[in-house]
Amino acid sequence: MTGDPEDGMLSWDESVFRDEHVFEIDYVPETFRHRESQLESLKYALRPAARGSRPLNTVVRGPPGTGKTTSVQKLFSELRAQTDVRTVRVNCQVDSTRYAVFSRIFESVFDYEPPSSGISFKKLFGQIADRLVEEDEVLAVALDDVNYLFYENEASDALYSLLRAHEAHAGAKVGVICVSSDLSLSVIEELDSRVQSVFRPEEVYFPKYDVDEVVDILRERAERGFHDGVLGAAELDRVAELTAESGDLRVGIDLLRRAGLNAEMRASRTISVDDVDEAYEKSKYVHLSRSLRGLSDSETALVAVLAEHDGEQAGSVYEAFHERTDLGYTRYSEIVNKLDQLGLVETEYAEVEGRGRSRSISLAYDPEPVLERIEG
């Protein structure tokens, strides 16, 4: 891989990357374009916290990869730097129960994790609220991917506890931002009436980026992440075209990184269109990989069974799932519903002669990439 610098080949100690971290999914850019109005709406909701009052509750909705999480992280970072407001972002894909949500809040408030067993929710909640009152702190909680709390039927209980904190503990000031990428989920309508009566959130919508916005964002990311001259205009256009096709900016950011790695594999100083096209074969599954990472063992087992029994009747799928997990039909049905809501499977009801209505289940992806990611 050594070569004359003039021939466009990288030497061993060279890289096409100026800063590879720029292409990580959790990277928060210094300048955040094309989301000015959404950021202003979120600032409006959070501004009371800076004055020592409860922030306004907010629902943030929009398709995946439209800047929702980045916006919240950016504003939370500013709040922490400029005020005494305590901010906590909970990833509900990982922490999908009320207890898990409050354990994450506890960890932020006390800087250590609560005991893994032996502490009731009431005590956990009480210690958090007491500390907030004692320190006279305002707490802003972002429930990121709150749709996962709904899938587990935990959303109403978690929100009720957060929103009623000031009633159980006078002086506790808590505001909630619910972030959802599931456009079929109506966050407010799906909550219990007891929660609806106190929630009354502001709503902020994040639409998909248009092609020009995608090009602008990816160009800036490429300029920060790659050395000069690594990514040409034609290659950037190809990345933008594939990103727009997927509808998810995260695909484009991952695509830039993988295309850079492909160029390095060839010991090349520049990215080619072929590097981009080859990278897309993996980058297009960013959403699939992310969804699979958040599944429990039994949920992953059903996805694997569906991949292995692709195209077979629902009955044989259930039998294979039961054999693998020893779980009954009720739990099987619950998992199917969750996978359907996540967009991992597609379900359809049809009339079957002599049997009435029967549900067919199929993967929303080709079996091969699904099994690769489960087994990998």
Side-chain angles (χ1 to χ4, degrees):
M1 277 176 57
T2 55
D4 185 331
E6 297 301 316
D7 67 6
M9 300 297 284
L10 285 173
S11 60
W12 278 103
D13 59 350
E14 287 183 302
S15 172
V16 299
F17 295 103
R18 193 195 310 270
D19 180 2
E20 197 171 346
H21 178 56
V22 165
F23 303 113
E24 297 293 336
I25 297 300
D26 61 353
Y27 173 77
V28 179
E30 287 175 36
T31 54
F32 191 40
R33 298 182 180 181
H34 310 298
R35 286 296 177 251
E36 290 80 6
S37 67
Q38 287 83 1
L39 283 168
E40 282 305 314
S41 296
L42 282 170
K43 276 184 186 174
Y44 171 79
L46 288 167
R47 202 174 296 277
R51 299 192 293 266
S53 300
R54 265 191 298 159
L56 303 177
N57 299 313
T58 311
V59 169
V60 174
R61 294 175 68 246
T66 50
K68 300 182 299 297
T69 298
T70 303
S71 295
V72 170
Q73 286 176 309
K74 190 168 183 60
L75 293 182
F76 272 14
S77 177
E78 289 176 11
L79 267 179
R80 285 194 301 273
Q82 298 171 23
T83 72
D84 294 327
V85 176
R86 184 171 291 277
T87 63
V88 185
R89 175 183 161 259
V90 181
N91 179 357
C92 299
Q93 187 180 13
V94 176
D95 299 306
S96 57
T97 66
R98 179 178 69 162
Y99 195 92
V101 166
F102 276 83
S103 294
R104 191 65 61 220
I105 295 169
F106 182 100
E107 186 181 347
S108 172
V109 169
F110 289 96
D111 294 321
Y112 59 85
E113 292 184 16
S116 55
S117 61
I119 178 168
S120 67
F121 172 78
K122 187 175 180 182
K123 187 173 181 183
L124 185 75
F125 173 61
Q127 288 182 357
I128 293 168
D130 287 345
R131 172 59 70 92
L132 293 174
V133 173
E134 189 182 300
E135 301 288 333
D136 193 24
E137 282 188 325
V138 179
L139 174 65
V141 178
L143 299 177
D144 204 357
D145 279 326
V146 72
N147 32 301
Y148 283 84
L149 291 181
F150 284 91
Y151 303 156
E152 302 297 339
N153 294 317
E154 294 273 347
S156 288
D157 285 344
L159 277 166
Y160 187 78
S161 297
L162 286 166
L163 298 169
R164 295 283 191 181
H166 64 284
E167 293 181 3
H169 298 263
K173 290 171 280 194
V174 181
V176 184
I177 299 174
C178 291
V179 183
S180 174
S181 295
D182 184 347
L183 296 183
S184 67
L185 175 74
S186 175
V187 171
I188 300 165
E189 287 177 17
E190 293 293 330
L191 290 167
D192 291 355
S193 56
R194 64 194 171 121
V195 184
Q196 288 180 3
S197 64
V198 289
F199 192 26
R200 300 194 189 91
E202 303 290 307
E203 294 197 50
V204 184
Y205 184 72
F206 283 66
K208 282 185 180 180
Y209 294 107
D210 65 32
V211 176
D212 290 341
E213 291 170 342
V214 168
V215 171
D216 196 28
I217 293 165
L218 294 178
R219 182 189 294 113
E220 184 177 37
R221 199 66 69 100
E223 285 170 356
R224 287 180 177 275
F226 291 127
H227 288 298
D228 294 345
V230 168
L231 187 73
E235 290 72 28
L236 176 62
D237 285 346
R238 181 62 177 149
V239 173
E241 180 188 336
L242 293 169
T243 304
E245 197 176 291
S246 72
D248 187 338
L249 187 66
R250 291 173 303 190
V251 170
I253 292 167
D254 188 70
L255 188 49
L256 287 172
R257 178 172 170 268
R258 288 183 186 276
L261 293 172
N262 287 347
E264 288 194 336
M265 185 86 74
R266 296 188 298 107
S268 172
R269 292 173 184 276
T270 57
I271 292 169
S272 70
V273 171
D274 285 346
D275 289 329
V276 174
D277 287 340
E278 186 183 329
Y280 186 60
E281 290 308 306
K282 290 187 176 175
S283 294
K284 66 183 178 183
Y285 294 117
V286 162
H287 180 70
L288 170 64
S289 299
R290 187 168 177 271
S291 296
L292 290 174
R293 276 199 300 274
L295 298 182
S296 66
D297 290 345
S298 55
E299 290 160 356
T300 303
L302 179 53
V303 173
V305 166
L306 282 163
E308 292 160 7
H309 295 259
D310 189 45
E312 294 183 25
Q313 292 294 318
S316 59
V317 170
Y318 167 67
E319 286 165 16
F321 171 75
H322 175 68
E323 195 174 305
R324 187 170 300 190
T325 63
D326 206 32
L327 293 171
Y329 192 82
T330 301
R331 183 61 188 138
Y332 163 78
S333 188
E334 287 171 353
I335 294 173
V336 168
N337 289 338
K338 177 177 176 178
L339 298 179
D340 189 17
Q341 289 168 316
L342 284 173
L344 287 170
V345 304
E346 293 166 351
T347 62
E348 193 177 328
Y349 284 92
E351 294 293 334
V352 178
E353 196 173 336
R355 288 174 48 199
R357 280 164 63 77
S358 177
R359 179 162 65 167
S360 67
I361 306 156
S362 59
L363 279 177
Y365 296 87
D366 291 334
E368 194 176 321
V370 172
L371 289 171
E372 267 178 29
R373 280 152 185 80
I374 288 174
E375 292 160 5

